[in-house]
Amino acid sequence: MKLNEIQDLIKFVAKSGVCEVELETKEVKIIIKTSAAKKGGRPDNESPFVVQTTTPFAAPTQQIQQSNPVAEQKTAEPKKAEDISKLITIKSPMIGTFYRSPSPDKPVFVNVGDEIKPGNPICIIEAMKLFNEIESDVKGKIVKVLVDDSSPVEYDQPLFLIDPM
């Protein structure tokens, strides 16, 4: 479900006067709650909205490796396990929508293989129409981007894997 579809759903719920709407697909679960509607079917303009979204997490890399055939595990697992253990995970500091670039017409902040330093912007997370630039706390090389652009993210959800330098 795209961000503009979610925003349209929120606007529709606000205009309809419904107190609660729950929508669940394979990819996302959204619950929108408002306070009780005023007379005439219009919601109170001052009423707060509570929007909860959840998305399934990708399986950790180690679990994926365990599903490999036994013959491949014996040769590949020890080396990959060492590589994975030294990687640093940058996690989302908040709930919101993940963006890889400052705007649709601008290039992404970081790509796989880019070197980053503390203080470098790596993504934006939009929360309640506020765009929060997320900066790196570590020095290293981007190994993997774990979230798709314009996807909802949860607090503490892994965003990037970094090979420290």
Side-chain angles (χ1 to χ4, degrees):
M1 185 170 228
K2 295 182 181 176
L3 178 62
N4 60 351
E5 293 171 327
I6 295 171
Q7 290 172 335
D8 290 343
L9 180 62
I10 293 170
K11 289 175 188 173
F12 176 76
V13 170
K15 289 178 184 175
S16 70
V18 176
C19 294
E20 183 175 339
V21 172
E22 187 172 330
L23 173 71
E24 186 171 353
T25 66
K26 289 189 295 185
E27 300 145 351
V28 68
K29 178 180 180 181
I30 299 173
I31 301 169
I32 303 171
K33 297 179 183 180
T34 64
S35 63
K38 283 185 168 181
K39 288 183 181 178
R42 296 186 141 180
D44 182 355
N45 288 337
E46 303 283 322
S47 67
F49 277 93
V50 177
V51 179
Q52 300 173 336
T53 61
T54 57
T55 56
F57 291 106
T61 310
Q62 291 175 337
Q63 289 179 354
I64 293 170
Q65 290 174 352
Q66 290 174 357
S67 66
N68 290 342
V70 175
E72 287 183 34
Q73 278 187 356
K74 289 180 181 176
T75 58
E77 189 175 341
K79 184 181 177 190
K80 288 187 179 183
E82 290 174 17
D83 292 343
I84 292 169
S85 66
K86 71 176 184 174
L87 297 180
I88 297 172
T89 303
I90 295 180
K91 297 180 180 182
S92 177
M94 64 186 69
I95 296 171
T97 304
F98 173 85
Y99 294 105
R100 292 191 61 197
S101 63
S103 66
D105 59 335
K106 303 277 183 179
V108 296
F109 287 110
V110 293
N111 285 308
V112 173
D114 289 353
E115 291 185 11
I116 58 171
K117 297 179 222 160
N120 286 10
I122 54 173
C123 67
I124 288 179
I125 297 183
E126 177 194 5
M128 298 181 65
K129 306 236 182 215
L130 295 175
F131 292 85
N132 303 285
E133 193 171 89
I134 308 303
E135 296 177 347
S136 172
D137 290 339
V138 296
K139 180 178 181 182
K141 185 186 220 178
I142 303 286
V143 174
K144 189 168 185 178
V145 180
L146 302 171
V147 181
D148 293 328
D149 194 34
S150 303
S151 297
V153 293
E154 296 290 326
Y155 172 75
D156 223 23
Q157 178 177 341
L159 303 175
F160 298 94
L161 288 179
I162 309 295
D163 185 9
M165 300 178 96

